[in-house]
């Protein structure tokens, strides 16, 4: 390895170590840290992120990158140089004091959001969100003043994504989804979900989580489950990935699909190639790609008739009384109920993307300055009425339901919808060579995992999202796979 590349590897290891520390702090904050501990944590994160900033936004970095390129590089080394240059360009454009202040702000803002949500009072959170929008608009101009601020952030979360593409993508989804929802709500098929609201002892739900993790072939020596208000996944490194879930005594399905969803994220991180460890190429290629893996497991596997057939004996073993008069078919239909509702994370597969569209439209307007933060709750309620036809009773069940904006993430939501659509295309491609239905019926997920590892997981950030999708599906992204899947599945469930 040439000298410059050697120095760049050392830099990457330091960046890895700082990120590791910040992820531990973040994981702790969201799981067992006491409620009033945010201020000290904010101070610590400000220092850590300042150290990270000093390392990367350093004039020696572009010089080293230039020097490295004069020597012959392996494919991976060339990718490291490319990724480091991207991080350098992004970071060095933001003044150090603003970067640190923003990190501190988001830590405080998450705390304020928690209080606002508990009190269902948007005014507690509004001053923080105003500052966040202001920072995000200013940072976007530092990156690329020629682009609309929201385009800059869409591209940050999903390389190459723009409002133009999102507008076209969502328009295509809307054309299929809105009429489908209408047909479903008018259909005579009634799905019984009452049994899901029985009492499901949490101790038994924990046993079910373990069973699901085993079925997904997640190595528990490298991946543990904790509990948090909202389920999430954090990777410290490929040998230590954490997922969280939330147990509700009167809703067993919530934990089942949280574990499978986060399990999908975890599998992606656990199966990065070893050679990428401690480099800037480790980690999912994009938010959209990450969501494609979690939603592939949650929906295309977890909510399939075949997978439910496989877990049915286990469910009956753990919950014989709760499921005494229920069939696997009843359960399949209940966990696939389609019904316009208030909360995104509880939304069904059909209406889910409508929830994303609500957020997309509002983020677009916040970022282009045509919507003031103080007017956000009213705009939210109007969008929910227009797209989903539901009335929002209060801010806790409306504009305050998600943590993303409090964490400073504007432009993240579209990646959920994109990921869902990527997954449909991947599954369609997988079906050409694997008998997916038989594998699910037998609970034999190894060949599916192997398919994903070979085409997606192992590469980390070595390839762009578009390259990975091309690599896996042998064609560019096409949302029709997703809309076709929805129409076929739900026409059968609702006898349309
Ligand atoms: Zn996710």
């Amino acid at each position: 390895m040439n000298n410059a590349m050697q120095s760049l590897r050392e830099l990457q290891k330091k960046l890895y170590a700082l990120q590791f520390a910040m992820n531990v702090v973040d994981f702790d904050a969201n799981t067992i840290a006491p409620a009033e501990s945010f201020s000290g944590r904010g101070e610590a994160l400000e220092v850590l992120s300042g150290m990270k900033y000093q390392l990367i936004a350093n004039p020696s970095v572009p010089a080293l990158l230039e020097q490295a390129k004069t020597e012959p590089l392996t494919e991976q080394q060339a990718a490291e140089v490319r990724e480091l240059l991207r991080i350098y360009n992004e970071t060095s454009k933001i003044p150090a004091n603003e970067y640190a202040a923003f990190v501190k702000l988001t830590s405080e803002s998450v705390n304020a959001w928690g209080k606002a949500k508990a009190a269902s009072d948007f005014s507690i959170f509004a001053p923080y969100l105003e500052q966040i929008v202001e920072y995000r608009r200013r940072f976007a101009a530092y990156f690329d003043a020629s682009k609309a601020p929201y385009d800059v952030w869409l591209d940050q979360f999903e390389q190459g994504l723009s409002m133009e593409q999102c507008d076209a993508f969502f328009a295509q989804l809307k054309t299929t989804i809105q009429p489908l929802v209408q047909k479903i709500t008018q259909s005579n098929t009634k799905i019984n979900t009452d049994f899901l609201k029985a009492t499901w002892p949490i101790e038994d739900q924990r046993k079910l989580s373990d069973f699901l993790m085993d079925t997904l072939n997640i190595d528990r020596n490298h991946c543990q489950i904790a509990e948090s208000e909202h389920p999430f996944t954090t990777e410290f490194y490929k040998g230590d990935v954490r997922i969280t879930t939330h147990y509700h005594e009167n809703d067993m399905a919530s934990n089942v699909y949280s574990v499978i969803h986060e399990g999908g994220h975890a599998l992606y991180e656990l199966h990065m190639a070893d050679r990428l460890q401690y480099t800037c190429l480790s980690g999912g290629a994009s938010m959209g790609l990450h969501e494609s893996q979690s939603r592939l497991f949650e929906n295309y596997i977890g909510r399939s008739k075949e997978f439910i057939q496989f877990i049915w004996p286990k469910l009956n073993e753990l919950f014989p009384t709760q499921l005494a008069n229920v069939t696997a078919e009843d359960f399949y239909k209940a966990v696939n109920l389609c019904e316009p509702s208030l909360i995104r994370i509880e939304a069904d597969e059909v209406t889910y993307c409508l929830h994303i569209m609500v957020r997309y439209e509002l983020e677009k307007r916040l970022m282009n300055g045509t919507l003031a933060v103080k007017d956000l709750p009213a705009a939210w309620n109007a969008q929910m009425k227009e797209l989903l036809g539901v009335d929002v009773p209060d801010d806790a069940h409306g504009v305050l339901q998600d943590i993303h904006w409090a964490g400073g993430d504007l432009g993240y939501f579209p990646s959920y919808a994109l990921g869902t659509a990527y997954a449909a295309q991947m599954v369609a491609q997988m079906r050409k060579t694997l008998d997916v239905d038989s594998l699910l019926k037998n609970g034999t997920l190894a060949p599916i995992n192997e398919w994903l590892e070979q085409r997606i997981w192992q590469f980390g950030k070595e390839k762009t999202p578009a390259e990975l999708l091309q690599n896996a599906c042998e064609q560019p992204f096409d949302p029709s796979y997703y809309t076709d899947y929805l129409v076929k599945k739900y026409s059968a469930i609702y006898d349309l």
Side-chain angles (χ1 to χ4, degrees):
M1 203 185 298
N2 69 51
N3 284 342
M5 207 57 228
Q6 193 67 48
S7 304
L8 289 171
R9 276 282 166 87
E10 282 162 26
L11 168 69
Q12 291 179 82
K13 198 142 188 188
K14 286 179 187 165
L15 289 170
Y16 155 78
L18 282 169
Q19 193 58 52
F20 189 115
M22 290 201 284
N23 286 354
V24 173
V25 172
D26 189 58
F27 180 79
D28 176 78
N30 287 297
T31 50
I32 58 167
E36 295 300 333
S37 61
F38 73 93
S39 61
R41 186 163 54 246
E43 292 292 328
L45 283 172
E46 191 179 354
V47 172
L48 289 171
S49 67
M51 288 165 74
K52 195 176 160 197
Y53 179 91
Q54 295 299 340
L55 275 176
I56 190 75
N58 189 307
S60 68
V61 173
L64 278 172
L65 291 171
E66 276 311 311
Q67 205 186 323
K69 281 195 278 188
T70 62
E71 306 278 338
L73 295 175
T74 64
E75 205 176 317
Q76 180 182 330
Q77 289 170 341
E80 286 171 42
V81 168
R82 225 174 23 242
E83 180 63 12
L84 278 171
L85 181 63
R86 194 189 63 76
I87 302 172
Y88 170 80
N89 282 337
E90 260 168 28
T91 316
S92 62
K93 286 176 181 168
I94 302 176
N97 57 338
E98 289 189 38
Y99 178 78
F102 180 72
V103 172
K104 192 175 175 197
L105 169 68
T106 55
S107 169
E108 291 167 354
S109 159
V110 165
N111 185 63
W113 165 80
K115 287 180 178 163
K117 191 179 172 189
S120 194
D121 181 355
F122 183 73
S123 71
I124 298 171
F125 173 53
Y128 294 89
L129 185 58
E130 270 166 18
Q131 288 184 64
I132 285 171
V133 171
E134 219 23 73
Y135 268 110
R136 283 305 194 194
R137 286 167 52 86
R138 198 161 62 236
F139 288 177
Y142 292 152
F143 291 161
D144 189 347
S146 71
K147 275 167 91 172
Y150 195 45
D151 269 338
V152 171
W153 292 112
L154 288 173
D155 177 68
Q156 289 284 313
F157 288 113
E158 197 67 16
Q159 209 179 320
L161 190 64
S162 65
M163 284 187 273
E164 197 186 337
Q165 280 172 295
C166 279
D167 286 342
F169 170 59
F170 286 126
Q172 185 175 344
L173 297 196
K174 203 173 158 183
T175 327
T176 312
I177 293 174
Q178 279 200 318
L180 182 60
V181 174
Q182 201 170 9
K183 275 194 212 164
I184 290 170
T185 29
Q186 287 165 357
S187 98
N188 293 322
T189 307
K190 293 287 167 265
I191 292 178
N192 175 27
T193 58
D194 290 347
F195 67 90
L196 288 177
K197 299 174 196 88
T199 304
W200 309 84
I202 287 172
E203 204 180 307
D204 295 324
Q205 292 198 48
R206 288 208 176 93
K207 288 181 194 153
L208 182 58
S209 300
D210 291 335
F211 172 76
L212 293 168
M213 295 287 273
D214 289 345
T215 303
L216 264 55
N217 293 314
I218 295 173
D219 183 351
R220 298 302 293 278
N221 289 319
H222 294 287
C223 181
Q224 278 304 343
I225 310 179
E227 288 170 46
S228 65
E229 171 72 24
H230 289 283
F232 66 94
T233 301
T234 296
E235 73 287 358
F236 299 158
Y237 78 112
K238 70 166 281 186
D240 187 353
V241 180
R242 313 288 176 93
I243 73 165
T244 72
T245 186
H246 191 109
Y247 292 103
H248 301 269
E249 200 165 41
N250 297 106
D251 180 2
M252 165 265 259
S254 167
N255 169 61
V256 167
Y257 290 102
S258 292
V259 168
I260 301 178
H261 178 101
E262 302 307 330
H265 283 305
L267 282 166
Y268 193 178
E269 293 294 336
L270 290 163
H271 292 273
M272 300 281 148
D274 287 338
R275 60 189 164 79
L276 303 182
Q277 271 200 92
Y278 318 133
T279 76
C280 60
L281 301 177
S282 186
S286 69
M287 297 307 162
L289 249 297
H290 237 304
E291 278 307 313
S292 77
Q293 300 311 290
S294 55
R295 299 185 74 75
L296 191 152
F297 279 88
E298 178 189 351
N299 291 335
Y300 302 85
I301 291 179
R303 287 184 209 274
S304 69
K305 201 177 267 191
E306 294 75 18
F307 185 79
I308 288 168
Q309 279 171 13
F310 171 71
I311 64 170
W312 194 242
K314 188 71 186 178
L315 290 177
N316 277 278
E317 178 195 319
L318 289 169
F319 308 107
T321 45
Q322 293 89 335
L323 296 172
N325 300 309
V326 181
T327 65
E329 178 75 14
D330 296 334
F331 188 87
Y332 167 71
K333 286 189 173 171
V335 297
N336 283 293
L337 173 85
C338 169
E339 191 173 60
S341 64
L342 291 166
I343 308 294
R344 175 185 62 88
I345 58 168
E346 291 164 13
D348 57 82
E349 276 187 86
V350 186
T351 58
Y352 185 86
C353 285
L354 299 173
H355 288 263
I356 299 300
M357 285 180 221
V358 168
R359 289 150 180 81
Y360 169 69
E361 285 301 323
L362 297 175
E363 286 187 341
K364 207 160 75 167
R365 285 156 61 188
L366 282 173
M367 291 301 280
N368 72 17
T370 56
L371 176 65
V373 167
K374 70 173 170 50
D375 299 324
L376 185 57
W380 176 284
N381 298 351
Q383 279 285 318
M384 287 296 287
K385 186 77 186 172
E386 190 194 319
L387 283 165
L388 286 129
V390 296
D391 293 302
V392 180
D394 54 49
D395 291 343
H397 294 87
V399 69
L400 288 172
Q401 64 183 270
D402 297 308
I403 196 172
H404 303 61
W405 292 340
D409 293 335
L410 286 131
Y412 187 112
F413 283 115
S415 62
Y416 288 119
L418 275 176
T420 304
Y422 290 165
Q425 194 169 348
M426 288 176 202
V427 173
Q429 182 69 17
M430 198 185 281
R431 285 181 182 281
K432 291 180 184 170
T433 51
L434 293 181
D435 184 352
V436 174
D437 293 342
S438 302
L439 293 172
L440 295 182
K441 223 180 276 179
N442 296 318
T444 315
L445 270 62
I448 293 173
N449 288 10
E450 203 179 304
W451 193 97
L452 292 165
E453 180 177 12
Q454 278 172 10
R455 289 160 181 82
I456 310 276
W457 297 344
Q458 60 161 320
F459 294 109
K461 296 184 195 352
E462 212 173 6
K463 296 179 190 291
T464 66
E467 283 169 351
L468 285 166
L469 203 69
Q470 177 73 39
N471 194 42
C473 300
E474 295 165 20
Q475 55 175 295
F477 175 47
D478 180 355
S480 310
Y481 288 97
Y482 174 51
T483 49
D484 290 352
Y485 157 84
L486 284 179
V487 170
K488 189 172 169 222
K489 177 172 177 178
Y490 281 86
S491 297
I493 292 176
Y494 281 89
D495 212 3
L496 302 178

